[in-house]
Amino acid sequence: MAAARLVALLIDPAQAGTVGPGAWTEILAVARAEQLIGTLAIRLAGMDLPPSVLSVLDGARATALEGRRQALWEAEMGRRALAGVVAPLILLKGTAFVAAGLDAGQGRSIGDLDILVPRPMLDVAEQALLAGGWMWVKPDPYDDAYYRRWMHELPPMLHPERDRMIDVHHTILPPTARLSPDADKLIAAAVPLGNGLAMLSAEDIVIHAAIHLFADGDLSGGLRNLWDIDRLLREFRNGDETFWLKLAARAAEHDAEPVVARALRLSHALFRTPVPAAWRRATATDRLFIRRLLARDGWGRGTRPATRLAFYVRSHWMRMPPALLARHLWIKWQRGAAGG
Amino acid sequence: MRHRFAVRVGPIGFRVGSEWRAPIAALQALYRDYPRLDGVPDFTVRLEASRPWRRWVRPSVTIAGDYAIPDAAPLPLRHGLLAAEMGMNLQMALGQRRFLLLHAAAVARKGRAVIMTGESGAGKSTLAALLQTRGWRLLADEFVLIDPATGLVHPFPRPVSLKNAAIGVARAALPDATFGPLLTGTPKGDIRHLLPQPEAIAAMTEAVKPMLLLFPQFGRAAETRAVGAGEAFVRLTQASTNYVGLGERGFDALTRLVRDVTRAAIDYPDTASAAAMIEDLW
C-alpha cells in the first residue's frame, strides 16, 4: 500500500535503495497529496537514487526551501504590522517550526501564517493588520459572523500583494468545543526567539499539534500533522528526561489528556516514535484513525469514503453542541444547494 | 486507475490515468511518435468523473492530479483529450520548479532559439507551427522551459494547440503533418492539435541557447521595435507562472535571459513577413 510505503521510507530513508520504479511513482504521488514531498526530499537528500526520482525530489526540495523563506518573511511582515500591539509575536504551527529551527520544519510545506494574540488585543490587532494591507477573504456575512461568534480565530485575512493568508487565533480550539485549552497559559509560557517572534513552550507545541490533529479537523492532512508530532517528540525528549512527565502534567492543565495520549500512541504505532511504555499500546479506535490516515492510493486519490465521512461528521460533532451543529450544517447545506 | 498512459516530452515525464478508455486512446494516437516514459513521472494527471454516476450518465470529466484548481469546470467526455492536455498544462503551471516557465512558444535553428511571447491571440502558436515550413524546428508551444543553472532552453515540444481559424491555416501550410481529432464547441471554440515535425521530437533532449526574444503581434503592418531589458523583464515576470515560486533562482534566470538575448516587438501581417523580420534580427 502506497501510503504505508511512504511512512516506512520516512522512518528509514536507508530503504530507498530497495524501492522499484513503480513503487516510487506511487510513493511520490502520495507524498505530494499528503504535503510530505518536501519532507521526503530532505530526508532522502544525498542518497544515490534513480535520476527521475532525484529530479522530482530536487524540485520538491527547492520548493520547500523557497516556501520556508517566504514563511519567515511573512512572519516578519506580521511582526512589523503588529509592533506596538503584541510583542513578541507568537507563531503557531509550520511557521513556528521553521522560525525556531525545529526538525519538524525540515522540508515542511507552510501555507498560512498562524499567530496567537491575547483575546483582549484582538480588535486592535485586527485594525493594525487591516492598516498593514491585509484584507478579508470571506465577504459572506453569515461566515463572518459565524467566525467572530463561534471560532477560535478571526475570519482569515489575505495580503493581496504577497498573496499570503494570516490566521489570527485567540485560542487553539473553538469555544464550543468539548475541550477547553487555556489560552492565557499558552501565552504566559511562550518562548521568545530573540527576534521579536516567539513560539509556544515545547509541551504546548505538542499539545497544540495533537489538538489540531484530532479535535479541530476531519484528519485531512493528518499524516503530515502526525509526522510533525513524531519530530517534535523526538527532538524535545532528547536531553530532557523529564519531558514526558511535563507533557503529561501540562496536558492535564489544558484538559487535553485524551488527545495527547492518542497522539503519542498513533505516533508510536505509525512512526515508531520512542514514547514511554504507557503510550505504546494502540486501541481499537486508534486502528480506525490509522486506517483514515493511510487512506490514499498510488494515484494520490483519497480512498475509503465511508471512513472519511465518519471522520468529517466526527470533526464537526466535536467542535459544536448538537443544536449549533444542526443549524450550521443546515445553513451550509442550503447554501450548497442554492449554489449548485 | 483503469486506463493509463505515460509519456516523456523533453525533460518532463507525465502519467495520465482515466476512468474512461477514450481519452487514453486519443492520447496514445496523438503522442504515438514520442518516447515512452522510462522511470518515474514528474507529474500525475487524473481524469475523474465529477460525481460517481457521471462516469456513465452524461459523462463529465474533472481534471485532477498532483496539482488541481478547486472548482475547475468539468468537460464533457467528447473533450476528454482536451481535459488531458489541460491537466498536463495545469501540472506544469502549478507544480514546475526545476525550470523557469514562460508562457511562450519557441523555435530553433542551428542550435539557437527564438522565444516568442505575448497575450493569447498574438499568434505565437500559429507562427511557431508555420515557421516549421521555413527551416525552423519547433521547441515549444504554450510553455518554454529555461534551466536556471545554465540559462538554456530545454525543448518541450508538446502537440501545438491550434484554435479556430488557425486550424485551416496550418492544415493548408502543413499538408503532410499529423493532426489530432477536431474538437468542436470547447470553451475556447474549435481546437485541433498538430504533431510537431519528427525532427522536433527526435531532438527534444538537446538544450538550446536562447538568441532572440520576440513579442509578436499578428494582423498589423510589418514593423519592428526594440524592447528594453527592463520592459522585457517585467513582461516576462507576468508571462511566467512560477517566477515567484522559484525565488532568487527565478530572478537570476530571468535577468540573465533578458540581458543575453536580442529583444524586439514585431507586428506582422503574415508568416512570410515574420520569417523575414526574424532573419533580419538573427
Side-chain angles (χ1 to χ4, degrees):
Chain A
M1 219 186 71
R5 299 208 63 167
L6 169 65
V7 166
L9 206 49
L10 286 170
I11 299 172
D12 180 14
Q15 289 185 16
T18 66
V19 179
W24 270 124
T25 300
E26 301 202 335
I27 289 168
L28 295 173
V30 175
R32 272 204 178 109
E34 295 289 344
Q35 297 200 342
L36 276 163
I37 187 116
T39 304
L40 183 67
I42 301 273
R43 293 282 287 164
L44 300 182
M47 294 194 65
D48 184 21
L49 300 172
S52 56
V53 175
L54 279 181
S55 122
V56 171
L57 292 178
D58 286 348
R61 194 176 304 111
T63 305
L65 290 176
E66 180 57 24
R68 175 182 186 280
R69 200 186 62 77
Q70 288 186 5
L72 290 174
W73 179 244
E74 198 61 23
E76 172 60 15
M77 291 293 96
R79 185 197 68 77
R80 290 184 196 177
L82 293 171
V85 180
V86 285
L89 180 63
I90 302 173
L91 306 173
L92 301 173
K93 299 185 199 166
T95 313
F97 302 162
V98 295
L102 297 175
D103 285 348
Q106 292 284 318
R108 194 185 190 277
S109 79
I110 300 166
D112 308 341
L113 171 61
D114 293 279
I115 60 171
L116 180 64
V117 168
R119 180 133 211 180
M121 303 307 295
L122 207 54
D123 290 343
V124 191
E126 183 179 352
Q127 292 310 316
L129 290 172
L130 289 171
W134 277 268
M135 291 170 61
W136 299 121
V137 290
K138 295 226 179 205
D140 183 285
Y142 172 78
D143 285 340
D144 189 77
Y146 181 86
Y147 261 95
R148 286 172 191 280
R149 177 149 168 78
W150 296 116
M151 290 297 280
H152 51 307
E153 57 193 335
L154 290 174
M157 284 188 268
L158 177 83
H159 198 287
E161 275 173 33
R162 296 188 300 276
D163 200 24
R164 302 285 288 198
M165 304 259 284
I166 188 167
D167 282 334
V168 184
H169 302 246
H170 52 83
T171 181
I172 55 178
L173 261 185
T176 52
R178 311 286 196 273
L179 302 180
S180 47
D182 188 331
D184 294 338
K185 284 185 180 168
L186 294 174
I187 291 166
V191 182
L193 298 172
N195 49 358
L197 303 172
M199 64 171 186
L200 300 180
S201 72
E203 295 82 26
D204 284 345
I205 288 184
V206 172
I207 291 164
H208 182 214
I211 284 177
H212 181 56
L213 176 56
F214 298 123
D216 187 29
D218 63 355
L219 258 68
S220 40
L223 202 56
R224 202 271 313 268
N225 293 334
L226 191 63
W227 173 258
D228 286 346
I229 290 172
D230 167 77
R231 292 293 106 177
L232 294 169
L233 292 174
R234 285 174 191 264
E235 186 164 11
F236 292 149
R237 93 182 164 123
N238 265 352
D240 184 356
E241 293 300 318
T242 62
F243 174 70
W244 301 110
L245 289 174
K246 289 192 288 188
L247 177 62
R250 190 67 166 175
E253 285 183 56
H254 284 301
D255 187 20
E257 292 152 297
V259 289
V260 170
R262 193 188 296 285
L264 266 51
R265 292 197 307 269
L266 288 184
S267 186
H268 173 70
L270 259 183
F271 294 118
R272 294 192 219 143
T273 319
V275 300
W279 290 296
R280 292 198 173 197
R281 203 182 186 86
T283 66
T285 325
D286 290 345
R287 280 187 276 280
L288 271 179
F289 277 84
I290 290 172
R291 191 177 150 77
R292 168 64 185 87
L293 290 171
L294 298 178
R296 182 80 64 185
D297 75 6
W299 286 84
R301 287 182 296 183
T303 55
R304 299 172 182 161
T307 307
R308 282 173 181 270
L309 178 66
F311 275 95
Y312 177 77
V313 172
R314 174 184 170 278
S315 75
H316 277 73
W317 180 253
M318 292 179 66
R319 286 147 69 107
M320 302 177 195
L324 178 65
L325 173 62
R327 184 180 123 81
H328 180 64
L329 290 181
W330 171 251
I331 289 171
K332 284 291 184 187
W333 179 77
Q334 276 188 318
R335 187 149 310 162
Chain B
M1 305 204 67
R2 254 182 87 196
H3 306 283
R4 35 185 90 176
F5 171 73
V7 70
R8 172 166 293 280
V9 184
I12 311 296
F14 294 99
R15 72 167 169 160
V16 184
S18 167
E19 296 192 11
W20 303 271
R21 212 186 90 72
I24 298 301
L27 282 172
Q28 283 163 343
L30 193 63
Y31 286 91
R32 59 177 198 187
D33 297 336
Y34 289 74
R36 289 176 52 106
L37 176 65
D38 52 347
V40 169
D42 292 84
F43 297 113
T44 292
V45 175
R46 304 193 310 261
L47 304 178
E48 301 176 337
S50 57
R51 293 272 184 276
W53 60 88
R54 293 299 285 272
R55 188 166 159 194
W56 296 282
V57 185
R58 287 189 294 130
S60 171
V61 185
T62 298
I63 300 166
D66 291 328
Y67 301 90
I69 294 179
D71 308 326
L75 291 169
L77 183 54
R78 68 192 170 87
H79 293 157
L81 176 62
L82 178 62
E85 288 285 304
M86 286 169 66
M88 287 192 256
N89 287 341
L90 196 62
Q91 305 313 309
M92 290 294 285
L94 299 180
Q96 180 56 251
R97 290 294 182 273
R98 282 161 56 206
F99 298 99
L100 177 70
L101 270 194
L102 301 176
H103 182 57
V107 293
R109 194 158 73 177
K110 294 178 185 161
R112 298 283 184 269
V114 181
I115 300 171
M116 298 177 282
T117 185
E119 307 279 307
S120 284
K124 49 191 188 300
S125 291
T126 318
L127 186 55
L130 298 186
L131 283 172
Q132 293 186 102
T133 64
R134 296 170 175 272
W136 296 89
R137 169 163 68 88
L138 185 81
L139 287 179
D141 176 43
E142 195 74 21
F143 289 124
V144 169
L145 278 50
I146 311 281
D147 185 339
T150 62
L152 297 179
V153 177
H154 282 248
F156 186 57
R158 295 263 299 284
V160 180
S161 168
L162 298 164
K163 294 176 197 80
N164 302 313
I167 298 170
V169 174
R171 292 265 288 169
L174 297 153
D176 299 329
T178 308
F179 288 83
L182 178 66
L183 305 169
T184 57
T186 80
K188 290 180 176 175
D190 293 352
I191 288 182
R192 192 159 193 181
H193 293 96
L194 160 72
L195 249 74
Q197 292 184 334
E199 49 270 35
I201 297 174
M204 74 181 188
T205 55
E206 296 163 24
V208 181
K209 190 173 162 56
M211 279 292 280
L212 182 57
L213 176 61
L214 276 189
F215 298 90
Q217 190 69 55
F218 171 69
R220 298 184 190 171
E223 192 192 333
T224 302
R225 168 176 81 82
V227 174
E231 183 188 343
F233 181 90
V234 171
R235 286 177 75 163
L236 288 181
T237 60
Q238 289 162 357
S240 172
T241 61
N242 67 355
Y243 170 71
V244 173
L246 284 179
E248 196 174 346
R249 285 192 306 149
F251 177 81
D252 289 343
L254 204 49
T255 313
R256 172 182 187 171
L257 175 70
V258 298
R259 194 189 53 215
D260 289 357
V261 295
T262 307
R263 302 165 305 265
I266 60 166
D267 294 346
Y268 68 101
D270 53 61
T271 315
S273 325
M277 292 156 91
I278 294 172
E279 297 285 349
D280 282 349
L281 291 163
W282 189 247

